[in-house]
Amino acid sequence: MWPDRRLLELFNIELPIVQAPVAGAMDWELAVAAAEAGALASLPCAMLNPDQVREQMAKIRARTKKPVNLNFFCHPPPVLNNAREARWREHRELAIDPAAPVPSSIRAAFNSVMCDVVEETKPDVVSFHFGLPEPGLLQRLKAGRFLVMSSATTAAEARWLEARGVDAVIAQGYEAGGHRGIFLSDDIATQAGTFALVPQVVDAVKVPVIAAGAVTDARGIAAAFALGAAGVQIGTAYLWCPEAKISAPHRAALKSARDDGTALTNLMTGRPARGIINRLMREVGPMSDVAPEFPLAAGALAPLRAKAEAQGSGDFSPLWAGQAASLGRDMPAGQLTKALAAEALERMRALAASKT
């Protein structure tokens, strides 16, 4: 019934939907719901320590035997710049106490310890953001017969990933919520949108391509297949679900989202990521060359974020969302997964019938 079944057969899933791993916004509960509905479940591990990954995977495996993807970051270790940190803390719109301790970031890159955890917990798929881990770790994953995929924001990045043996490429368009997967460049000004990117990545590689970026309803899924994708990765739509572990301000912001209400910002973590515009982004400007290197900026903002959230405000919080956030629907994750797939198939059938 689906025009391209490569992703279904590769991951042994029923629906060509990858539930996106949104770090800090979900846990095992959402992953289980998506898996049981037929999607590829994803657990974001960049903000978890090894024991937490084990615990989360144990909860998932106790509730479903369906395929699971563990997702990790692959960023280089940040270089602390004391002068830059001081300038950031002294920024007048931030008003951070210069004497206040800066919490360390909990966003960690994939390493040998996490590779041990992968080998122990045995997910079906391992995915990465910001490229791939160093060759020795990647070889361990391939030797363990884990399927591997990663995000590409350009055709060149997609070719780079394929040359290193990934089994699928996630083509992440400019519209996508959360962090850019960009890794061969740092120029986000030239990143293509999903409609421009997906067909070029499809032409550039032989492995299945997964479209990501503002795919929030059935129309987006149908469009992705029309562009040559073998499936879609959906993130923002799942943030509307009751299983999502987002703050009350984040949930409220989603419900009032607009097509012009998001922007790419490096203020929250130090790396460009798309989120709903809040006070910090308006007053400082969404991009700043003073923001500490990823992921140190998150620690620098932590005191302000904690104070604001305690007062029910998202003024200093990352309100990650894609450009089509307003198309989201408030329903359980399993129900949403099945509805999106059924509606997309119906739309594609109707389109095919209109051509006969």
Side-chain angles (χ1 to χ4, degrees), residues 279-318:
R279 174 187 166 189
L280 177 64
M281 294 162 69
R282 285 192 299 270
E283 294 186 1
V284 177
M287 300 294 293
S288 172
D289 59 3
V290 181
E293 190 175 349
F294 180 85
L296 300 176
L301 276 180
L304 285 178
R305 176 181 176 178
K307 182 177 180 180
E309 288 185 352
Q311 299 170 351
S313 168
D315 283 346
F316 298 94
S317 303

Side-chain angles (χ1 to χ4, degrees), residues 103-127:
S104 60
S105 171
I106 55 174
R107 291 172 175 84
F110 188 72
N111 56 26
S112 61
V113 175
M114 280 300 193
C115 198
D116 292 341
V117 175
V118 168
E119 293 168 337
E120 175 188 332
T121 58
K122 294 181 168 51
D124 305 87
V125 184
V126 184
S127 66

Side-chain angles (χ1 to χ4, degrees), residues 66 75 89 98 220 234 262 301 327:
K66 300 290 184 67
H75 56 282
R89 290 160 69 85
I234 297 175
T262 69
L301 276 180
L327 300 178

Side-chain angles (χ1 to χ4, degrees), residues 47-48 87 108 122 140 171 242 248 252 267 317 320 347-348 351:
M47 297 177 69
L48 303 179
R87 287 169 60 202
K122 294 181 168 51
R140 282 177 60 182
L267 304 181
S317 303
W320 302 144
R347 183 167 290 273
M348 287 188 281
L351 181 59

Side-chain angles (χ1 to χ4, degrees), residues 164-205:
R164 284 153 183 81
V166 299
D167 299 285
V169 169
I170 302 162
Q172 185 196 42
Y174 185 74
E175 304 95 323
H179 287 97
R180 308 299 85 197
I182 192 167
F183 61 92
L184 289 185
S185 166
D186 58 5
D187 187 1
I188 60 169
T190 60
Q191 188 186 353
T194 306
F195 263 63
L197 177 65
V198 171
Q200 295 184 75
V201 171
V202 168
D203 289 349
V205 298

Side-chain angles (χ1 to χ4, degrees), residues 225-251:
F225 276 95
L227 295 171
V232 297
Q233 178 169 279
I234 297 175
T236 302
Y238 281 113
L239 296 184
W240 282 75
C241 301
E243 295 95 336
K245 302 301 188 288
I246 60 175
S247 66
H250 195 169
R251 199 169 291 278

